[in-house]
Amino acid sequence: MIIVNFKAYKQAVGEKAVELSEKCAEASEKTGKEIIVAPQPYDIPKVSGKVYAQHIDPEKPGSNTGSVLAEGIKKAGASGALINHSERRLEKDVIQSIINRCREVGLTSVVCAQSPEECGELSMLNPDYVAFEPPELIGGDISVSSAEPNVINEAVKFSEVPVLTGAGIKTSEDVEKSIELGCKGVLVASGVVKTDDVLEELLELCSGL
Ligand code: G3P
């Protein structure tokens, strides 16, 4: 599985989010590999393919101005959500509430963690996945799988649930190594969103799965 996090990149909002998701769907169809897109919430209903939200809130429907509801993103077309991304950190009790909300409405939960210890700790909250992303490597040119293979290994050992990894992933070797180390998939952002040839990059990443 590859999750392409669109973040709030200008190359990946509005019409550009739609175009990017179409490339992801094309690469997925060509290779038979699962590619999930994670756009901004307002783009969820517009994009193609399997979609996760980048974030949801723990609130239930009611007087909660500004909340991103689990029900709302499900109705908009998402089938899962990232939770506690390094760029949107949350308290542990809030993470637990969001995991519970995901389960109530039938969304897959992917909880991000910054260290193997945190992977272990947050996996005890029983999300569907934990995603290990060392913050210092996010958005850079050195991948987590080349810089910290032993740390990925530890994250896999510490976690009670399947592990994904991300940060700096750009090549098929990065993906292959992550899978070899025991991960079920990868998260990618800048490597796909900022490249000139998105389809070529997606095909490259899929070949490592
Ligand atoms: O959620 C994925 C993300 O944080 C990784 O970002 O730009 O290093 O691929 P990037």
Side-chain angles (χ1 to χ4, degrees):
M1 163 208 308
I2 297 175
I3 300 178
V4 183
N5 182 356
F6 289 11
K7 302 200 173 183
Y9 284 124
K10 63 178 191 302
Q11 301 93 325
V13 294
E15 280 315 301
K16 296 201 166 140
V18 176
E19 285 165 25
L20 195 51
S21 72
E22 283 165 357
K23 298 255 167 64
C24 292
E26 188 180 341
S28 178
E29 202 168 306
K30 280 202 163 113
T31 60
K33 307 292 181 187
E34 184 172 45
I35 302 179
I36 299 165
V37 297
Q40 289 280 304
Y42 40 80
D43 288 326
I44 289 174
K46 301 187 216 150
V47 297
S48 302
K50 191 166 176 182
V51 190
Y52 283 3
Q54 294 179 12
H55 165 80
I56 51 176
D57 291 310
E59 283 77 16
K60 294 192 172 178
S63 53
N64 293 307
T65 304
S67 296
V68 179
L69 296 178
E71 286 83 354
I73 68 121
K74 174 114 197 248
K75 274 203 182 124
S79 58
L82 304 180
I83 301 164
N84 194 44
H85 190 276
S86 271
E87 293 149 9
R88 196 71 160 80
R89 294 275 285 172
L90 301 164
E91 296 296 330
K92 199 171 163 186
D93 60 328
V94 176
I95 297 171
Q96 180 70 82
S97 302
I98 299 172
I99 293 169
N100 296 344
R101 298 284 291 120
C102 284
R103 202 138 284 142
E104 274 166 38
V105 307
L107 292 169
T108 300
S109 50
V110 179
V111 171
C112 301
Q114 297 184 330
S115 66
E117 292 73 18
E118 197 180 25
C119 284
E121 197 186 322
L122 296 180
S123 74
M124 302 298 277
L125 306 180
N126 201 25
D128 293 296
Y129 297 93
V130 293
F132 169 53
E133 295 198 333
E136 67 281 7
L137 297 175
I138 292 178
D141 285 325
I142 299 168
S143 72
V144 58
S145 50
S146 56
E148 305 201 347
N150 299 338
V151 193
I152 295 182
N153 217 255
E154 272 181 34
V156 170
K157 275 195 202 130
F158 287 2
S159 177
E160 303 284 331
V161 301
V163 175
L164 311 174
T165 194
I169 288 190
K170 291 190 173 59
T171 67
S172 58
E173 290 78 21
D174 293 334
V175 178
E176 209 174 329
K177 186 82 189 155
S178 306
I179 303 297
E180 258 174 44
L181 292 165
C183 296
K184 299 291 176 206
V186 297
L187 293 97
V188 189
S190 53
V192 167
V193 174
K194 291 181 165 181
T195 192
D196 290 336
D197 194 334
V198 172
L199 186 59
E200 187 183 80
E201 173 62 13
L202 288 165
L203 295 174
E204 158 79 15
L205 294 173
C206 284
S207 71
L209 277 177

